[in-house]
Structures are given as C-alpha cells and as structure tokens.
C-alpha cells in the first residue's frame, strides 16, 4: 500500500517522466518488494501464498507455498530473508536453490504471532515486526 501511495504521489509530481507500464495483474494483495541488486525484484503475493519475481523481462512465480510470506529483504549473501506470517516464523531462503533455513519461530519459548516486516542492519542484524492479524486464537505472545 505504501508503494502504491508513493507511485501515485510521484505520478502527480514532476519527478516521474515517461510512461508507466503495468507489469502484472493476476495478484490479489502484494507486499514486501525487494531488489537483489542484480536486476531481480522479489515480492510477496500473500493471498495466493507465493513469492513472485520480476527479472527485468517477465513476472513469474518464484516460490509456491510461501508460508504466508509478507516482508522480504536480501541479506549480504544474496539470500531472501522472509517474514512467513502464516507459518509464524522468519526464514532465510537461498535464491540459488530455494533451500529454507528457519532463523526464528519462537521468543522466550513462545510461538511468534505473524511476522510482518523485516529490515537488516549494516552488521547483518535482523529486526522484524510481529503483530497478529485477524483471529487471536493460538496466540502465545501478547505483545
């Protein structure tokens, strides 16, 4: 939503020149766009439970059954760090072979709520938000 608002604001300003091109339209609700520095942009298609990728030429499904992927970031090694809200965990997925490593799924022995957004600092530290959307049953962390 923030990206959509930013694009709308830019389109109404003098900062954007030229045509705007629609790249895809078969998604329901997208989040977490992140560029890998090599020409690819990854983003979550939450209701369809997948991660998409735009490679500069085409838009395609990169990963099915994404665990409700939401926020995404690329780490220093080029891996995708993913907030899997549906699976209630933070994972690292290799962009080379899609191997998944769980980075966090509990805090103080309690299951995470619904990891949402993520940032990685200059030293590689990972910070994420963990709200709970919708029903609160099964929630172990109150904050």
């Amino acid at each position: 939503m923030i990206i959509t608002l930013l694009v709308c604001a830019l389109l109404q300003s003098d900062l954007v020149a030229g045509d705007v091109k629609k790249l895809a339209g078969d998604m329901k609700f997208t989040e977490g766009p992140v560029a890998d520095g090599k020409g690819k942009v990854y983003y979550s298609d939450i209701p369809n439970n997948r991660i998409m990728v735009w490679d500069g030429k085409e838009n395609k499904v990169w990963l099915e059954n994404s665990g409700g992927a939401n926020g995404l970031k690329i780490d220093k090694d080029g891996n995708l760090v993913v907030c899997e809200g549906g699976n209630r965990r933070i994972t690292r997925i290799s962009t080379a072979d899609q191997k998944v490593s769980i980075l966090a799924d509990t805090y103080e022995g309690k299951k995470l709520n619904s990891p949402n957004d993520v940032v990685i600092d200059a030293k590689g530290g990972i910070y994420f938000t963990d709200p709970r959307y919708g029903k609160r049953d099964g929630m172990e962390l109150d904050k």
Side-chain angles (χ1 to χ4, degrees), residues 34-42 74:
V34 62
D36 70 356
K38 298 176 186 175
K40 292 182 180 178
V41 177
Y42 297 86
I74 299 287

Side-chain angles (χ1 to χ4, degrees), residues 16 24 35 101 109 131:
V16 175
S101 302

Side-chain angles (χ1 to χ4, degrees), residues 3-5 13 18 31 35-36 51 56 58 66 76 78 92 99 109 114 123 125 134:
I3 291 173
T4 302
L5 294 174
S13 74
E31 280 276 351
D36 70 356
I51 296 174
E58 67 177 322
S66 68
K76 65 179 177 56
R92 176 179 288 127
K99 180 179 177 188
S114 302
K123 294 182 180 180

Side-chain angles (χ1 to χ4, degrees), residues 1-11 30:
M1 177 153 58
I2 293 172
I3 291 173
T4 302
L5 294 174
L6 177 60
V7 169
C8 290
L10 288 173
L11 289 174
T30 59

Side-chain angles (χ1 to χ4, degrees), residues 71-119:
L72 309 173
K73 285 292 181 255
I74 299 287
D75 70 12
K76 65 179 177 56
D77 297 320
N79 299 304
L80 203 56
V81 175
V82 181
C83 286
E84 293 186 17
N87 283 343
R88 300 171 69 177
R89 64 187 190 177
I90 305 295
T91 57
R92 176 179 288 127
I93 304 176
S94 166
T95 53
D97 61 10
Q98 296 183 343
K99 180 179 177 188
V100 177
S101 302
I102 299 171
L103 300 179
D105 60 1
T106 60
Y107 175 72
E108 295 182 345
K110 296 179 181 179
K111 192 86 176 127
L112 297 178
N113 291 323
S114 302
N116 183 36
D117 291 316
V118 60
V119 296

